[in-house]
Amino acid sequence: MHTEAIDPPGVQWLRVSPKYVTVRLVEWAIGNVVMLAVLSLPLIFVLLGWWRWPPLWLAITVPAVMLVLALWRLVLIPRQVRAIGYAERDDDLLIRRGIFFQRTMVVPYGRMQYVDVAVGPVERSLGLCTLKLHTASAGTNAHLPGLPSAEGARLREQLSARGEARLAGL
């Protein structure tokens, strides 16, 4: 189901690279291995007899619930990556994301102060980057992850040029 608020008519969305799924999976694995290890410590201590509290059922339930939630997030990762999109229009850049809670952000070119391209180690190995847009508003969280490096460089230059052109007209 699409709504006009999220999908304005006539907008052709460009999607991020499918390789971004790998980046998200690595982040998921690192975060969940650490979290499950920490949450499993009480269970290990109870089983070894070092602790008498929490009860065994609680020591089992907490990591089990975390594991179920982690697996649910794992299933959602490919769909979340497919939901990320962007569109360049004459006066602004649209950024779209979200499955359940969808969000479309409009960043006017004239409001951009600078455009930043960031690359982490996993992104670098896959030839990807993250484009960050900085505006006068501190609350703006406009970033576009999972772009091929060449597309990120092109967008950085294009958006910077458009931003300067719009700002010069003010």
Side-chain angles (χ1 to χ4, degrees):
M1 179 164 93
H2 296 284
T3 63
E4 286 190 22
I6 298 299
D7 292 316
V11 172
Q12 182 66 33
W13 294 104
L14 301 172
R15 300 295 176 192
V16 298
S17 172
K19 292 182 196 176
Y20 186 58
V21 171
T22 305
V23 174
R24 292 284 310 275
L25 289 175
V26 168
E27 292 170 352
W28 174 89
I30 292 170
N32 285 295
V33 165
V34 169
M35 184 63 70
L36 280 173
V38 169
L39 291 177
S40 295
L41 284 176
L43 175 61
I44 293 168
F45 292 160
V46 167
L47 291 175
L48 291 174
W50 296 351
W51 287 4
R52 293 186 180 193
W53 196 94
L56 183 60
W57 68 268
L58 183 59
I60 292 171
T61 303
V62 172
V65 167
M66 177 58 192
L67 180 62
V68 169
L69 290 173
L71 293 174
W72 174 247
R73 286 195 309 265
L74 176 65
V75 169
L76 290 178
I77 286 174
R79 179 64 186 98
Q80 288 172 335
V81 169
R82 285 193 308 269
I84 301 171
Y86 64 99
E88 295 177 77
R89 297 195 302 185
D90 292 337
D91 296 322
D92 50 35
L93 177 72
L94 298 175
I95 300 175
R96 183 188 197 287
R97 69 183 70 232
I99 302 172
F100 300 121
F101 299 97
Q102 298 176 345
R103 178 179 183 183
T104 298
M105 183 179 298
V106 180
V107 183
Y109 297 133
R111 300 286 183 186
M112 287 185 215
Q113 291 184 329
Y114 64 96
V115 181
D116 190 14
V117 175
V119 180
V122 178
E123 287 177 314
R124 187 178 310 114
S125 68
L126 296 170
L128 301 176
C129 67
T130 297
L131 186 80
K132 297 180 182 179
L133 306 170
H134 299 273
T135 65
S137 171
T140 302
N141 186 17
H143 68 282
L144 194 53
L147 293 173
S149 295
E151 176 67 1
R154 183 198 70 79
L155 268 175
R156 180 188 61 220
E157 298 305 318
Q158 175 114 7
L159 296 176
S160 296
R162 286 182 176 179
E164 288 177 17
R166 297 294 190 278
L167 191 58
L170 293 178

